[in-house]
Amino acid sequence: MSMIGKTATASLFAATIAAASGLISTGAFAADNEKCYGVAKAGQNDCQTATASCAGTSSVDGQKDAWILVPAGTCAKLNGGSLTPTKG
């Protein structure tokens, strides 16, 4: 195998390991967090809402259907925080 082939193979292997590690850590991360609605700053939401097409597109602070991930158990402690989306 040529040096270029060995380098490409090593790079592909490293990228595969990094991607797998990211998937594993994401699962553990998500289990320790919860979606908290109504507390995201404008443009800081984590995902699509009824009125915003994708992450980072909420239009106002505290938009009731926009959420962010917070550590599990903290949403109820945040002013305006809710575990379910609401209108308004």
Side-chain angles (χ1 to χ4, degrees):
M1 185 181 278
S2 72
M3 187 60 148
I4 293 174
K6 288 179 183 178
T7 301
T9 301
S11 296
L12 180 59
F13 179 73
T16 302
I17 297 299
S21 297
L23 291 175
I24 292 168
S25 66
T26 301
F29 178 76
D32 294 337
N33 292 284
E34 61 192 5
K35 290 181 182 179
C36 189
Y37 295 88
V39 296
K41 294 288 186 185
Q44 300 297 311
N45 60 305
D46 283 338
C47 200
Q48 179 178 349
T49 72
T51 57
S53 62
C54 59
T57 58
S58 59
S59 57
V60 295
D61 289 350
Q63 186 174 322
K64 298 296 183 189
D65 65 342
W67 59 267
I68 57 171
L69 281 179
V70 297
T74 60
C75 185
K77 299 174 185 176
L78 298 174
N79 188 24
S82 172
L83 295 175
T84 57
T86 58
K87 290 187 177 185

